Amino acid sequence: MAEIDHQAELTRAGANVSGHWSRLLFYMRQHPLGAIGAVIVIVFVFSAVFADVLAPHDPLHTSAPDSLKAPDTTFVMGADMMGRDVLSRIIHGARISLTVGVASILLGGVIGIVIGLMSGYLLGWFDLLMQRLIDIMQALPLLVLALVMAASLGPSLENTIIAISIPLVPNVARVVRSSTLSLREMPFVEAARAAGMSELRVAVRHVLPNTLAPLIVLFTAQLGAAILVEASLSFLGLGVPEPHPSWGRMLSESAAEYVRVAPWLVIFPGIAISLAVFGTNLFGDAVRDILDPRQRS
Amino acid sequence: MTAAAEAAAQPPVLEVEGLKKHFPVKKGLLSRQSGKVYAVDGVSFHIGPGETLGLVGESGCGKSTVGRTVLRLIDPTEGAIRLSGRDVTHLGKTDMRAVRREMQIIFQDPYSSLNPRMSAGDIVGELLRVHDLGNAAEREERVAELFERVGLSRAQMKSFPHEFSGGQRQRIGIARALALNPKLIVGDEPVSALDVSIQAQVINLLMDLQQEFRLSYLFVAHDLAVVEHISHRIAVMYLGRIVEYTDKRTLFTDPQHPYTEALLSAVPVPDPRLRRKKMVLQGDVPSPINPPSGCHFHTRCPYAEARCRIESPALREIAPGHTVACHLR
């Protein structure tokens, strides 16, 4: 007869999870893919923060003799046409990509949440006006809108962030608005009002937290998209200007000319972009599950 | 002295006079108002301290709207609402905040009435926080007390709503309603979503709490058996109006309005040998957008006369404490 190992069963169900570390370990066991995503994101963030220490060479240092050098022991991922070390540029590029991705999502997210929450909550003329504005913005593709923004603002890191964040606003606002519309009729929102809470508190404490689950998925998907748009903008000369290493520009600069003679110039930035997008997506799915108390068992 | 007589002797906790709530029906691009829903159309009643008024009627008769309007969750179109003698009908947001401590609500659906992202303790404790009652430790202690009072344990304060059963969730809803020490609690069908065995537990809890804190209840329900158990007096509503209003005993033994008669004959009796005169109503409740002329009930009333179609009957006191809106009584 099979013995039930009570201690093991309890551990599996997370009954004796206490303290931050064991909680973290428990979540990692529950969401192995999320753990992989988390590791990728951590590596990504780590290299962004400690780029100066980690990079074996100066990412901006050019040397004619090393031009288009294939990967070897000095240049682990080879060198580009100006003889700059690709590995160092990728490590430093993480900083640019992460800054642009996170900052644009924060900026676009905050504006989008405020507009969406106000739209869904206040309704009336404000909602009507905002929804038509959002219709107009959504009629244009993300890249085209970002292009227009970037072209009118001029190339710089800050302007790239603004150019990418503005097109995110309609997506976030739509998601928040639609959840708000259904949530504002829920009895628990009515209960909050009956308790004498201010409308602001009801909106922020009771409506907003319940709109977050779809937003986190949207944000992580957009983080990947933001990195890609940054790459496209940089390629067109409207993104992060030279000589800052941007994954997107590294990829697109070399794709046409050097892909046959020096494929490492395309492969490694490509892998970096894919991994970053993949990792944030896996991580985002797990975070969504963990943040939703209903899925916490 | 009986509870009802005692209640009548004291100034009422809640007085409602000529309450009307009409919802506009909007149509088309420019939101032209094309009609009105007469959800509540002139309702008056009062509830004394420690008294329960049962408000019964079919779905769509406006009984829930009455509850929400009393709490000013919906603004009334007309009429007056007085809480302990104070007119709260037109109070502004700031004044209303203080009044909200006096009256609370228990909802029908224990699933959607608790914020899924807040722990049970926070759901109850938040009310104390927004009204600045005590410091964090005192509030926690008060919430723990409330939990124990409604039959939950202290340890359950940390759990989230999805971890509770329907009956337990309703207990959290009751703890929330009690948190601010209100005088009046509006129960919007608080037990109709629960299993029968759990219904009894929750009803008994509500009755114990009433005894202990001298609470007044406005108990909205469609189940007469439940209402009979908990109420002192009962008001029967039909299409936005009260048709009969009296104490529980009189209503169940000597119903005067034909609609009340029909409702009572639909209550199952737990004795298979007992045969009663059945009175089954034909048809559906007419639309409150376009209610029938005269007596609203004449379309389904087996005794309707010509007069009923033309003239709307007023509520008349046919015996002390027994009012009926019917031409034939």
Side-chain angles (χ1 to χ4, degrees):
Chain A
M1 201 177 132
E3 283 277 325
I4 295 170
D5 183 346
H6 291 283
Q7 208 47 51
E9 287 296 312
L10 283 172
T11 310
R12 200 169 58 83
N16 42 19
V17 170
S18 59
H20 293 292
W21 285 110
S22 53
R23 187 177 292 269
L24 192 68
L25 277 173
F26 171 67
Y27 288 146
M28 283 171 75
R29 257 201 305 277
Q30 291 255 301
H31 305 276
L33 282 176
I36 295 171
V39 169
I40 295 173
V41 170
I42 288 166
V43 169
F44 182 41
V45 172
F46 191 75
S47 59
V49 174
F50 298 104
D52 296 324
V53 188
L54 289 173
H57 300 273
D58 179 355
L60 306 183
H61 177 74
T62 57
S63 89
D66 295 327
S67 178
L68 298 180
K69 208 161 196 187
D72 59 20
T73 43
T74 12
F75 299 110
V76 179
M77 291 185 185
D80 68 3
M81 59 286 184
M82 295 196 206
R84 294 175 297 196
D85 177 34
V86 172
L87 176 62
S88 303
R89 287 180 70 73
I90 284 179
I91 291 173
H92 277 269
R95 189 178 276 181
I96 303 288
S97 294
L98 193 74
T99 311
V100 171
V102 170
S104 61
I105 280 166
L106 279 182
L107 186 64
V110 167
I111 301 173
I113 286 173
V114 170
I115 291 177
L117 203 57
M118 282 175 77
S119 261
Y121 211 81
L122 301 174
L123 298 176
W125 64 266
F126 180 85
D127 180 45
L128 204 71
L129 193 74
M130 279 301 153
Q131 290 313 304
R132 295 299 80 75
L133 273 174
I134 283 170
D135 283 341
I136 293 168
M137 286 173 80
Q138 279 197 323
L140 297 167
L142 179 68
L143 182 60
V144 174
L145 203 54
L147 263 178
V148 173
M149 299 290 308
S152 52
L153 293 170
S156 80
L157 186 63
E158 293 79 32
N159 290 347
T160 308
I161 291 169
I162 296 171
I164 294 173
S165 66
I166 300 302
L168 288 181
V169 170
N171 294 341
V172 177
R174 276 274 153 87
V175 170
V176 173
R177 177 180 177 268
S178 66
S179 317
T180 305
L181 282 181
S182 58
L183 285 166
R184 70 198 299 272
E185 306 295 334
M186 295 288 278
F188 69 81
V189 171
E190 211 174 7
R193 282 209 192 96
M197 290 175 207
S198 64
E199 291 297 320
L200 185 68
R201 189 184 175 90
V202 174
V204 174
R205 289 274 293 162
H206 293 268
V207 176
L208 185 60
N210 286 293
T211 64
L212 287 185
L215 268 190
I216 285 167
V217 181
L218 185 73
F219 282 165
T220 48
Q222 295 288 356
L223 185 57
I227 291 169
L228 285 177
V229 172
E230 182 266 322
S232 317
L233 287 178
S234 297
F235 173 66
L236 294 165
L238 293 168
V240 185
E242 280 274 23
H244 297 297
S246 143
W247 291 348
R249 214 185 43 245
M250 287 165 72
L251 179 74
S252 28
E253 263 176 359
S254 42
E257 272 180 80
Y258 305 109
V259 69
R260 293 214 189 94
V261 279
W264 55 89
L265 291 185
V266 182
I267 292 170
F268 293 114
I271 290 176
I273 294 174
S274 313
L275 267 182
V277 175
F278 181 63
T280 48
N281 282 346
L282 287 183
F283 183 61
D285 280 354
V287 168
R288 179 204 52 196
D289 290 350
I290 290 167
L291 284 185
D292 188 347
R294 277 161 296 193
Q295 295 189 20
R296 228 188 267 160
S297 52
Chain B
M1 213 157 54
T2 65
E6 195 186 319
Q10 287 179 339
V13 169
L14 175 73
E15 273 178 289
V16 172
E17 225 178 271
L19 188 72
K20 288 188 184 179
K21 179 65 202 179
H22 301 165
F23 293 103
V25 179
K26 287 180 178 171
K27 248 190 195 162
L29 195 64
L30 297 170
S31 308
R32 232 165 352 98
Q33 188 176 327
S34 64
K36 279 182 192 166
V37 179
Y38 296 87
V40 179
D41 202 21
V43 162
S44 305
F45 58 84
H46 62 86
I47 305 174
E51 190 192 22
T52 303
L53 176 70
L55 196 58
V56 296
E58 282 164 283
S59 8
C61 73
K63 54 193 195 298
S64 289
T65 309
V66 169
R68 282 174 165 65
T69 315
V70 162
L71 292 170
R72 289 282 315 277
L73 290 172
I74 308 175
D75 282 326
T77 311
E78 225 177 87
I81 302 154
R82 280 187 291 274
L83 196 70
S84 309
R86 183 183 181 199
D87 193 324
V88 299
T89 327
H90 304 289
L91 285 187
K93 276 210 162 83
T94 333
D95 293 327
M96 215 39 223
R97 256 176 72 88
V99 175
R100 295 221 181 276
R101 287 182 57 175
E102 311 271 289
M103 49 189 194
Q104 282 297 312
I105 181 165
I106 302 170
F107 291 93
Q108 173 175 19
D109 181 3
Y111 290 89
S112 57
S113 61
L114 304 175
N115 187 342
R117 289 191 178 269
M118 284 170 86
S119 71
D122 283 346
I123 288 172
V124 177
E126 194 188 14
L127 276 78
L128 304 172
R129 215 164 84 193
V130 293
H131 286 277
D132 291 323
L133 301 174
N135 59 33
E138 285 164 8
R139 286 197 301 259
E140 169 130 0
E141 192 45 42
R142 167 90 178 123
V143 175
E145 255 169 49
L146 285 164
F147 265 57
E148 276 162 9
R149 185 62 200 84
V150 298
L152 297 166
S153 77
R154 223 166 242 270
Q156 286 173 307
M157 282 165 62
K158 287 202 189 80
S159 303
F160 284 85
H162 70 276
E163 296 169 70
F164 292 93
S165 68
Q168 286 175 323
R169 281 162 161 256
Q170 204 57 312
R171 286 173 194 269
I172 300 172
I174 293 170
R176 171 172 63 189
L178 287 175
L180 296 172
N181 267 328
K183 289 186 186 139
L184 172 74
I185 293 181
V186 173
D188 185 12
E189 308 224 18
V191 296
S192 56
L194 306 173
D195 289 347
V196 178
S197 57
I198 308 292
Q199 276 191 4
Q201 291 176 9
V202 171
I203 291 280
N204 288 337
L205 172 65
L206 286 173
M207 290 174 82
D208 290 348
L209 293 169
Q210 178 165 51
Q211 284 275 314
E212 196 175 326
F213 303 111
R214 256 181 99 63
L215 293 168
S216 303
Y217 291 139
L218 173 60
F219 195 91
V220 177
H222 60 252
D223 183 342
L224 276 169
V226 167
V227 170
E228 182 183 12
H229 191 63
I230 194 170
S231 306
H232 300 111
R233 284 181 303 130
I234 295 172
V236 180
M237 272 186 85
Y238 186 77
L239 270 185
R241 292 180 186 166
I242 289 178
V243 295
E244 186 158 7
Y245 177 40
T246 183
D247 63 276
K248 164 172 80 178
R249 180 184 286 271
T250 317
L251 189 94
F252 277 85
T253 52
D254 184 25
Q256 289 299 310
H257 199 279
Y259 180 61
T260 317
E261 254 180 77
L263 282 183
L264 289 179
S265 85
V267 176
V269 183
D271 182 351
R273 280 160 304 179
L274 196 73
R275 295 261 175 252
R276 279 184 313 179
K277 191 185 83 182
K278 281 274 181 201
M279 180 174 156
V280 180
L281 290 180
Q282 300 298 313
D284 281 326
V285 189
S287 160
I289 297 176
N290 200 358
S293 61
C295 175
H296 285 175
F297 189 56
H298 82 252
T299 50
R300 299 167 80 192
C301 181
Y303 317 115
E305 293 176 353
R307 185 187 175 195
C308 302
R309 277 180 269 279
I310 305 153
E311 205 182 317
S312 178
L315 265 175
R316 282 176 304 119
E317 191 158 20
I318 56 158
H322 189 173
T323 49
V324 179
C326 184
H327 292 306
L328 308 170
R329 310 287 156 171

PDB file of all heavy atoms in Angstrom, chain B residues 70-81:
ATOM      1  N   VAL B  70     -32.109  53.974  -0.863  1.00  0.00           N
ATOM      2  CA  VAL B  70     -32.057  54.300   0.560  1.00  0.00           C
ATOM      3  C   VAL B  70     -30.613  54.575   0.981  1.00  0.00           C
ATOM      4  O   VAL B  70     -30.322  55.489   1.746  1.00  0.00           O
ATOM      5  CB  VAL B  70     -32.664  53.144   1.389  1.00  0.00           C
ATOM      6  CG1 VAL B  70     -32.246  53.227   2.842  1.00  0.00           C
ATOM      7  CG2 VAL B  70     -34.181  53.156   1.278  1.00  0.00           C
ATOM      8  N   LEU B  71     -29.683  53.788   0.431  1.00  0.00           N
ATOM      9  CA  LEU B  71     -28.266  53.951   0.759  1.00  0.00           C
ATOM     10  C   LEU B  71     -27.613  55.067  -0.040  1.00  0.00           C
ATOM     11  O   LEU B  71     -26.425  55.310   0.106  1.00  0.00           O
ATOM     12  CB  LEU B  71     -27.518  52.647   0.485  1.00  0.00           C
ATOM     13  CG  LEU B  71     -27.844  51.477   1.382  1.00  0.00           C
ATOM     14  CD1 LEU B  71     -27.226  50.216   0.836  1.00  0.00           C
ATOM     15  CD2 LEU B  71     -27.329  51.731   2.777  1.00  0.00           C
ATOM     16  N   ARG B  72     -28.411  55.708  -0.901  1.00  0.00           N
ATOM     17  CA  ARG B  72     -27.921  56.771  -1.773  1.00  0.00           C
ATOM     18  C   ARG B  72     -26.812  56.274  -2.707  1.00  0.00           C
ATOM     19  O   ARG B  72     -25.914  57.018  -3.084  1.00  0.00           O
ATOM     20  CB  ARG B  72     -27.393  57.963  -0.957  1.00  0.00           C
ATOM     21  CG  ARG B  72     -28.476  58.781  -0.253  1.00  0.00           C
ATOM     22  CD  ARG B  72     -29.215  59.717  -1.194  1.00  0.00           C
ATOM     23  NE  ARG B  72     -28.342  60.453  -2.089  1.00  0.00           N
ATOM     24  CZ  ARG B  72     -27.705  61.575  -1.776  1.00  0.00           C
ATOM     25  NH1 ARG B  72     -27.843  62.110  -0.596  1.00  0.00           N
ATOM     26  NH2 ARG B  72     -26.944  62.174  -2.653  1.00  0.00           N
ATOM     27  N   LEU B  73     -26.851  54.981  -3.046  1.00  0.00           N
ATOM     28  CA  LEU B  73     -25.948  54.484  -4.084  1.00  0.00           C
ATOM     29  C   LEU B  73     -26.524  54.900  -5.432  1.00  0.00           C
ATOM     30  O   LEU B  73     -25.830  54.980  -6.430  1.00  0.00           O
ATOM     31  CB  LEU B  73     -25.813  52.959  -4.009  1.00  0.00           C
ATOM     32  CG  LEU B  73     -25.045  52.446  -2.801  1.00  0.00           C
ATOM     33  CD1 LEU B  73     -25.133  50.940  -2.704  1.00  0.00           C
ATOM     34  CD2 LEU B  73     -23.603  52.896  -2.866  1.00  0.00           C
ATOM     35  N   ILE B  74     -27.841  55.128  -5.447  1.00  0.00           N
ATOM     36  CA  ILE B  74     -28.549  55.682  -6.588  1.00  0.00           C
ATOM     37  C   ILE B  74     -29.281  56.903  -6.037  1.00  0.00           C
ATOM     38  O   ILE B  74     -29.808  56.847  -4.930  1.00  0.00           O
ATOM     39  CB  ILE B  74     -29.600  54.694  -7.133  1.00  0.00           C
ATOM     40  CG1 ILE B  74     -29.001  53.331  -7.406  1.00  0.00           C
ATOM     41  CG2 ILE B  74     -30.257  55.243  -8.380  1.00  0.00           C
ATOM     42  CD1 ILE B  74     -30.028  52.300  -7.827  1.00  0.00           C
ATOM     43  N   ASP B  75     -29.292  57.985  -6.799  1.00  0.00           N
ATOM     44  CA  ASP B  75     -30.006  59.165  -6.318  1.00  0.00           C
ATOM     45  C   ASP B  75     -31.480  59.051  -6.661  1.00  0.00           C
ATOM     46  O   ASP B  75     -31.835  58.712  -7.781  1.00  0.00           O
ATOM     47  CB  ASP B  75     -29.414  60.428  -6.931  1.00  0.00           C
ATOM     48  CG  ASP B  75     -28.119  60.809  -6.243  1.00  0.00           C
ATOM     49  OD1 ASP B  75     -28.030  60.580  -5.025  1.00  0.00           O
ATOM     50  OD2 ASP B  75     -27.202  61.295  -6.923  1.00  0.00           O
ATOM     51  N   PRO B  76     -32.345  59.334  -5.690  1.00  0.00           N
ATOM     52  CA  PRO B  76     -33.783  59.225  -5.953  1.00  0.00           C
ATOM     53  C   PRO B  76     -34.260  60.351  -6.881  1.00  0.00           C
ATOM     54  O   PRO B  76     -33.670  61.426  -6.908  1.00  0.00           O
ATOM     55  CB  PRO B  76     -34.402  59.371  -4.566  1.00  0.00           C
ATOM     56  CG  PRO B  76     -33.391  60.096  -3.757  1.00  0.00           C
ATOM     57  CD  PRO B  76     -32.059  59.729  -4.309  1.00  0.00           C
ATOM     58  N   THR B  77     -35.306  60.055  -7.646  1.00  0.00           N
ATOM     59  CA  THR B  77     -35.899  61.075  -8.509  1.00  0.00           C
ATOM     60  C   THR B  77     -36.746  62.019  -7.669  1.00  0.00           C
ATOM     61  O   THR B  77     -36.788  63.216  -7.901  1.00  0.00           O
ATOM     62  CB  THR B  77     -36.794  60.395  -9.571  1.00  0.00           C
ATOM     63  OG1 THR B  77     -36.042  59.336 -10.168  1.00  0.00           O
ATOM     64  CG2 THR B  77     -37.222  61.371 -10.645  1.00  0.00           C
ATOM     65  N   GLU B  78     -37.416  61.453  -6.685  1.00  0.00           N
ATOM     66  CA  GLU B  78     -38.327  62.231  -5.859  1.00  0.00           C
ATOM     67  C   GLU B  78     -38.448  61.544  -4.508  1.00  0.00           C
ATOM     68  O   GLU B  78     -38.127  60.360  -4.377  1.00  0.00           O
ATOM     69  CB  GLU B  78     -39.711  62.259  -6.520  1.00  0.00           C
ATOM     70  CG  GLU B  78     -40.387  63.614  -6.566  1.00  0.00           C
ATOM     71  CD  GLU B  78     -41.699  63.513  -7.312  1.00  0.00           C
ATOM     72  OE1 GLU B  78     -42.693  63.190  -6.654  1.00  0.00           O
ATOM     73  OE2 GLU B  78     -41.713  63.717  -8.545  1.00  0.00           O
ATOM     74  N   GLY B  79     -38.949  62.271  -3.521  1.00  0.00           N
ATOM     75  CA  GLY B  79     -39.193  61.654  -2.228  1.00  0.00           C
ATOM     76  C   GLY B  79     -38.130  62.029  -1.215  1.00  0.00           C
ATOM     77  O   GLY B  79     -37.191  62.759  -1.524  1.00  0.00           O
ATOM     78  N   ALA B  80     -38.316  61.535   0.002  1.00  0.00           N
ATOM     79  CA  ALA B  80     -37.401  61.883   1.083  1.00  0.00           C
ATOM     80  C   ALA B  80     -36.937  60.626   1.803  1.00  0.00           C
ATOM     81  O   ALA B  80     -37.697  59.674   1.975  1.00  0.00           O
ATOM     82  CB  ALA B  80     -38.083  62.822   2.057  1.00  0.00           C
ATOM     83  N   ILE B  81     -35.658  60.630   2.206  1.00  0.00           N
ATOM     84  CA  ILE B  81     -35.097  59.539   2.998  1.00  0.00           C
ATOM     85  C   ILE B  81     -34.575  60.176   4.279  1.00  0.00           C
ATOM     86  O   ILE B  81     -33.761  61.094   4.222  1.00  0.00           O
ATOM     87  CB  ILE B  81     -33.929  58.860   2.258  1.00  0.00           C
ATOM     88  CG1 ILE B  81     -34.392  58.326   0.906  1.00  0.00           C
ATOM     89  CG2 ILE B  81     -33.336  57.744   3.092  1.00  0.00           C
ATOM     90  CD1 ILE B  81     -33.280  58.218  -0.097  1.00  0.00           C
TER      91      ILE B  81
END
